[in-house]
Amino acid sequence: MANANKKARGLIEGRPALIVIDIQASTFADDSAVRSIDNMPGYADRMLASRQLIDAARGADIPVIFIQEIHRADLVDFGRELDGDEDVHCLDTNPNTEIAKKEMGFVDGDYVIQKRRYSAFYGTDLEILLKGLKAETLILCGGLTDVCVHYTFVDGHQGDYFCRVVEDCVAGSSTEAHGAALKAMEYLQSGAVRGLDETLIAMAG
Amino acid sequence: MANANKKARGLIEGRPALIVIDIQASTFADDSAVRSIDNMPGYADRMLASRQLIDAARGADIPVIFIQEIHRADLVDFGRELDGDEDVHCLDTNPNTEIAKKEMGFVDGDYVIQKRRYSAFYGTDLEILLKGLKAETLILCGGLTDVCVHYTFVDGHQGDYFCRVVEDCVAGSSTEAHGAALKAMEYLQSGAVRGLDETLIAMAG
Amino acid sequence: MANANKKARGLIEGRPALIVIDIQASTFADDSAVRSIDNMPGYADRMLASRQLIDAARGADIPVIFIQEIHRADLVDFGRELDGDEDVHCLDTNPNTEIAKKEMGFVDGDYVIQKRRYSAFYGTDLEILLKGLKAETLILCGGLTDVCVHYTFVDGHQGDYFCRVVEDCVAGSSTEAHGAALKAMEYLQSGAVRGLDETLIAMAG
Amino acid sequence: MANANKKARGLIEGRPALIVIDIQASTFADDSAVRSIDNMPGYADRMLASRQLIDAARGADIPVIFIQEIHRADLVDFGRELDGDEDVHCLDTNPNTEIAKKEMGFVDGDYVIQKRRYSAFYGTDLEILLKGLKAETLILCGGLTDVCVHYTFVDGHQGDYFCRVVEDCVAGSSTEAHGAALKAMEYLQSGAVRGLDETLIAMAG
């Protein structure tokens, strides 16, 4: 199908913000055999690649927003999240729920948004922060491609943001689900799925 | 992966509501060669199959909520929707934007929720209506599986509703995208994807 | 108290939009002795004065957005609204629930937002429309000053909009409640409460 | 006016939750001459009275939710809050922004909701938590009566919660604004404004 009304868009339109989704200490803890959430092969390496985006953002004065999935230890806020494939995860009493500060080069004063659901917009102050930053383009990295990244993209899209996802820096619950989610995001905004190299160039520009 | 904390759930938990998504006159207009939104083969037949759910709901006093995608004719509310695969669609000046009333057996007094975005929860009074109905299980049919159905499911899921999607009564932008979206919904709630027959039985029960 | 960080603001900052709240046919129906919602003296005249704002907006290409309180006739969406001073109101089966089109000079194509609650932002697409219009200043008129105007102002304020209320063109459930609500809005944004004449001048400017 | 459809309601309907709004260390710091936000006489004593509600809630297994106003130190999330009477307040770098833990008898594991705006629902996970708790009645105390308490009440009201405000345990920016806000809340739900003694009895019942 041809969308005759589609406008050409740059990788970055207006002011950008980098959204780092759920890269937490648990990602790099050596317990991969007993994960509460499935991961595709190469997961940790793709998360580590996000560090290049973070460093580039700092160099270009692009705000970095870390999203942290976190649940109350009495399980009161899981809603329907335990009715599916995911087991109990990201309890606020577990040290591995912390942002992966060392690997990501986190510094004091960095923006952190805690969330209870998959979308980083749902029940959080992300929209307040983005309005304050006057951000128009959201550059997404982190995981899972097919859950928190996908659904954050959708809410950003519905909220009129230009949304980009860096395919080298996201990973899914499976390789298949990762690929399907990338296609779904590309359906919503043409040119949404981008490579790391071109993104680094655009951020520097 | 095993989610050891997963509870067994019935097809219907608590009070149900049937959510009929974007089955509009345009679906049955004979202009399939020039659609503004791509459809998978068999699309119209799958939409027609939804009529069985609607009739069953009426017979069991289950509320039926028709969701209608509609955009202002000056295009002011399209947001980023024209940045992707979809062209201009569902203008409020186009008679084909109307609910497919005849095919769906629409009657005066039926609930209609108009929406500007993909999720039926986004910028609408759906949550107000569901609270008023004290609905706990949302049974979804309509289209597109991979866009409005999927993202309505996600918001319902995040809002603590039991969500079910009747696979015989939804259709996607492509067969592949349809299948991937069904898998994504099943990931969120095990037993979310259901057949028409078992759903009709549960509704009658 | 001195707020040393307060910035001087114009009556209009950025692009404005005129928000006409709940001026419906019932306001001008001759049944004032049996109102379902109390009104202060001079109510109808203050609503009529809003017409000057509407005409000025059209002359200056400022978008006009009519807000319409409307409830489903089966009462399903009243929530807690019947637990207080207000009786059943604004049913969608009552012709007086229609916008006061003649008195307000309504024309086809004008924006209408239907709402189920007091705030025009709650469960509606108002934010979607305002983003599409790139509006930054909301000029409010209509009623009730202390209910729908006040709480729409609050949500606009919380959503980073510059909010103005034209005191000659709003009216409350009582004169006292009207005055208290104006003070509350002025507390939130200094210079929020404005006269009709100065507003007309600013809109023309 | 008579609302013939008003139902008699108990002080507590369904499951309650106690919402303690913005009782932070700054309330009890001895810097009242230079407050960034005006307070009515007796403010601190009224906040201290909230402790009785908290103790009663613990004794009756009613969940206690502490709301904490907090802003990022770079001022990015103040929105329009500095355009009115309030100066810079509640920075996350200021120790006085902490919950008044000692005075309120805060214990580890208590629920805390951080907010950037006046309403405790705006940009927070309060609704997620309340759904998890299956709470239906919100008992409000804290400050300011005319700002954060009032606007939290309004959003709770709009979200179908039974809302109660304990007049002995709230305080406003001025005595007049406090009284006007109580009237506004009573307008929304009859019997919303309650005394401390009757509330303690209802909580124990």
Side-chain angles (χ1 to χ4, degrees):
Chain A
M1 194 209 62
N3 170 3
N5 287 285
K6 186 158 56 182
K7 293 182 188 164
R9 302 292 190 188
L11 196 154
I12 294 175
E13 295 275 342
R15 292 193 197 184
L18 178 65
I19 316 290
V20 183
I21 300 176
D22 296 359
I23 307 186
Q24 298 171 238
S26 52
T27 302
F28 305 108
D30 57 348
D31 58 351
S32 56
V34 291
R35 301 198 68 78
S36 57
I37 301 177
D38 284 334
N39 283 353
M40 68 186 256
Y43 193 93
D45 286 344
R46 286 166 168 274
M47 298 303 103
L48 283 175
S50 292
R51 175 65 186 271
Q52 297 180 60
L53 292 168
I54 292 167
D55 291 345
R58 297 195 194 285
D61 276 332
I62 294 172
V64 181
I65 303 172
F66 289 94
I67 308 297
Q68 180 190 20
E69 173 102 355
I70 186 165
H71 289 286
R72 299 178 195 273
D74 63 359
L75 310 187
V76 69
D77 60 23
F78 270 93
R80 299 267 73 76
E81 289 200 8
L82 303 180
D83 282 18
D85 278 12
E86 299 188 5
D87 204 338
V88 170
H89 55 274
C90 297
L91 298 186
D92 55 12
T93 48
N94 185 338
N96 281 337
T97 296
E98 187 52 87
I99 301 287
K101 291 186 169 178
K102 181 168 60 73
E103 293 85 351
M104 293 301 114
F106 186 92
V107 295
D108 281 350
D110 275 346
Y111 299 124
V112 176
I113 301 266
Q114 295 189 325
K115 69 178 169 65
R116 311 290 184 189
R117 291 288 179 273
Y118 300 127
S119 164
F121 286 92
Y122 198 97
T124 75
D125 62 320
L126 180 55
E127 178 95 11
I128 290 173
L129 179 56
L130 293 174
K131 284 185 176 180
L133 294 168
K134 299 189 185 310
E136 292 177 67
T137 296
L138 309 185
I139 302 171
L140 306 183
C141 62
L144 302 180
T145 319
D146 48 314
V147 189
C148 295
V149 173
H150 188 178
Y151 302 140
T152 297
F153 185 109
V154 168
D155 274 345
H157 174 75
Q158 294 187 128
D160 294 8
Y161 295 95
F162 300 94
C163 298
R164 309 290 177 245
V165 55
V166 186
E167 63 180 319
D168 308 289
C169 304
V170 293
S173 61
S174 71
T175 303
E176 181 192 9
H178 164 82
L182 290 177
K183 277 191 185 173
M185 292 184 264
E186 184 71 19
Y187 175 92
L188 297 179
Q189 293 191 20
S190 299
V193 180
R194 299 293 181 135
L196 174 56
D197 290 345
E198 62 178 328
T199 305
L200 292 173
I201 291 168
M203 291 170 79
Chain B
M1 194 208 62
N3 169 4
N5 285 285
K6 186 158 57 181
K7 293 182 190 165
R9 303 290 190 187
L11 196 154
I12 294 174
E13 295 274 342
R15 293 194 196 184
L18 178 65
I19 316 289
V20 183
I21 300 176
D22 296 359
I23 306 186
Q24 299 171 235
S26 53
T27 301
F28 305 107
D30 58 349
D31 58 353
S32 57
V34 291
R35 301 197 68 80
S36 57
I37 301 178
D38 286 334
N39 282 353
M40 68 185 255
Y43 192 95
D45 287 343
R46 286 166 167 273
M47 298 302 103
L48 283 174
S50 294
R51 175 65 185 273
Q52 298 180 60
L53 292 169
I54 293 168
D55 291 345
R58 296 195 195 285
D61 276 332
I62 295 172
V64 181
I65 302 172
F66 289 94
I67 308 297
Q68 180 189 22
E69 173 102 356
I70 187 164
H71 290 285
R72 299 177 195 274
D74 64 358
L75 310 187
V76 69
D77 60 23
F78 270 93
R80 299 269 72 76
E81 289 200 7
L82 303 180
D83 282 18
D85 277 13
E86 299 189 4
D87 204 339
V88 170
H89 55 274
C90 298
L91 297 186
D92 55 13
T93 49
N94 186 339
N96 281 336
T97 296
E98 187 52 87
I99 300 289
K101 291 186 170 179
K102 182 168 58 73
E103 293 85 352
M104 293 301 113
F106 184 94
V107 295
D108 280 350
D110 274 348
Y111 299 123
V112 177
I113 301 267
Q114 296 189 324
K115 69 178 170 65
R116 313 290 184 189
R117 292 288 181 272
Y118 300 127
S119 165
F121 286 92
Y122 198 98
T124 76
D125 61 322
L126 179 55
E127 177 95 12
I128 291 173
L129 179 56
L130 293 174
K131 284 186 177 181
L133 295 168
K134 301 191 185 306
E136 293 178 67
T137 296
L138 310 184
I139 301 171
L140 308 183
C141 62
L144 303 179
T145 319
D146 47 314
V147 188
C148 296
V149 173
H150 187 178
Y151 302 140
T152 297
F153 185 110
V154 168
D155 274 344
H157 173 76
Q158 294 186 129
D160 294 6
Y161 295 95
F162 299 93
C163 297
R164 308 290 177 244
V165 56
V166 186
E167 64 180 319
D168 307 289
C169 304
V170 293
S173 61
S174 72
T175 303
E176 181 193 9
H178 165 81
L182 290 177
K183 277 192 186 173
M185 291 184 265
E186 184 70 19
Y187 176 92
L188 297 179
Q189 292 190 22
S190 299
V193 181
R194 299 292 181 138
L196 174 56
D197 290 344
E198 62 179 327
T199 305
L200 292 173
I201 291 169
M203 292 170 78
Chain C
M1 195 205 65
N3 169 0
N5 286 285
K6 185 157 60 181
K7 291 183 189 165
R9 302 290 190 189
L11 196 154
I12 295 174
E13 295 273 342
R15 291 193 198 184
L18 178 65
I19 316 291
V20 183
I21 300 176
D22 296 359
I23 306 185
Q24 298 170 240
S26 53
T27 302
F28 305 108
D30 57 348
D31 59 353
S32 56
V34 292
R35 302 196 69 79
S36 57
I37 300 177
D38 286 333
N39 281 353
M40 68 186 255
Y43 193 92
D45 286 344
R46 286 167 168 274
M47 297 302 102
L48 283 175
S50 293
R51 176 65 186 273
Q52 297 181 59
L53 292 168
I54 293 167
D55 291 345
R58 297 196 194 285
D61 276 332
I62 294 171
V64 181
I65 303 172
F66 289 94
I67 308 297
Q68 181 190 21
E69 173 101 356
I70 187 164
H71 290 285
R72 300 178 195 273
D74 64 358
L75 311 186
V76 70
D77 60 22
F78 271 93
R80 299 269 72 76
E81 288 200 8
L82 302 180
D83 282 18
D85 278 13
E86 300 188 3
D87 205 338
V88 170
H89 55 275
C90 297
L91 297 186
D92 56 12
T93 48
N94 185 339
N96 281 336
T97 296
E98 186 52 87
I99 299 288
K101 290 188 170 177
K102 182 167 59 74
E103 293 85 350
M104 293 301 111
F106 185 94
V107 295
D108 281 352
D110 275 347
Y111 299 123
V112 177
I113 302 266
Q114 295 189 323
K115 69 179 170 66
R116 311 289 185 189
R117 291 287 180 272
Y118 299 128
S119 166
F121 286 92
Y122 198 98
T124 76
D125 62 321
L126 179 55
E127 178 95 12
I128 290 173
L129 179 55
L130 293 174
K131 284 185 176 180
L133 294 168
K134 300 190 186 306
E136 292 178 68
T137 296
L138 309 184
I139 301 172
L140 307 184
C141 62
L144 301 181
T145 319
D146 48 312
V147 188
C148 296
V149 174
H150 188 179
Y151 302 140
T152 298
F153 185 109
V154 168
D155 274 345
H157 174 76
Q158 294 186 130
D160 294 8
Y161 295 95
F162 300 94
C163 298
R164 308 291 177 243
V165 56
V166 185
E167 62 179 322
D168 307 290
C169 304
V170 293
S173 60
S174 71
T175 303
E176 182 192 7
H178 165 81
L182 291 178
K183 276 192 186 173
M185 291 184 264
E186 184 71 20
Y187 175 92
L188 297 178
Q189 292 192 19
S190 300
V193 181
R194 298 292 181 138
L196 174 56
D197 290 345
E198 63 180 324
T199 306
L200 292 173
I201 291 169
M203 291 170 79
Chain D
M1 193 207 64
N3 170 2
N5 286 284
K6 186 158 57 181
K7 293 183 189 163
R9 301 290 190 190
L11 197 156
I12 294 175
E13 295 274 341
R15 290 194 199 184
L18 178 66
I19 316 290
V20 183
I21 301 177
D22 296 0
I23 306 186
Q24 298 170 240
S26 53
T27 301
F28 304 109
D30 58 346
D31 60 351
S32 57
V34 292
R35 301 196 69 79
S36 58
I37 301 177
D38 285 333
N39 282 354
M40 68 185 256
Y43 193 93
D45 286 344
R46 286 166 167 274
M47 297 303 102
L48 283 175
S50 293
R51 175 67 186 272
Q52 296 180 59
L53 291 168
I54 293 167
D55 291 345
R58 297 197 194 285
D61 276 332
I62 295 172
V64 181
I65 303 173
F66 290 94
I67 308 297
Q68 180 190 22
E69 172 102 356
I70 186 164
H71 290 286
R72 299 177 195 275
D74 64 359
L75 310 187
V76 71
D77 60 23
F78 270 93
R80 299 268 72 75
E81 288 201 7
L82 303 180
D83 282 18
D85 277 14
E86 298 187 5
D87 205 339
V88 170
H89 55 274
C90 298
L91 297 186
D92 56 11
T93 48
N94 185 338
N96 281 336
T97 296
E98 187 51 87
I99 300 287
K101 291 187 170 178
K102 182 167 59 73
E103 293 85 352
M104 293 301 111
F106 185 94
V107 295
D108 279 353
D110 275 345
Y111 298 124
V112 177
I113 301 266
Q114 296 189 324
K115 70 179 171 63
R116 312 291 185 188
R117 291 289 180 272
Y118 299 127
S119 165
F121 286 92
Y122 198 98
T124 75
D125 61 323
L126 179 56
E127 178 95 11
I128 291 173
L129 179 57
L130 293 174
K131 283 185 177 180
L133 294 168
K134 301 191 185 308
E136 292 178 68
T137 296
L138 310 184
I139 301 172
L140 308 183
C141 62
L144 302 182
T145 319
D146 49 312
V147 188
C148 296
V149 173
H150 188 179
Y151 302 141
T152 298
F153 185 108
V154 168
D155 273 347
H157 173 75
Q158 294 186 131
D160 295 6
Y161 295 96
F162 299 93
C163 298
R164 308 293 177 241
V165 54
V166 186
E167 63 180 321
D168 308 290
C169 304
V170 293
S173 61
S174 71
T175 303
E176 181 193 7
H178 165 80
L182 290 178
K183 278 191 186 175
M185 291 184 264
E186 184 70 20
Y187 175 92
L188 297 178
Q189 292 191 20
S190 300
V193 180
R194 298 291 180 138
L196 175 56
D197 289 345
E198 63 179 326
T199 306
L200 292 173
I201 291 169
M203 292 170 78

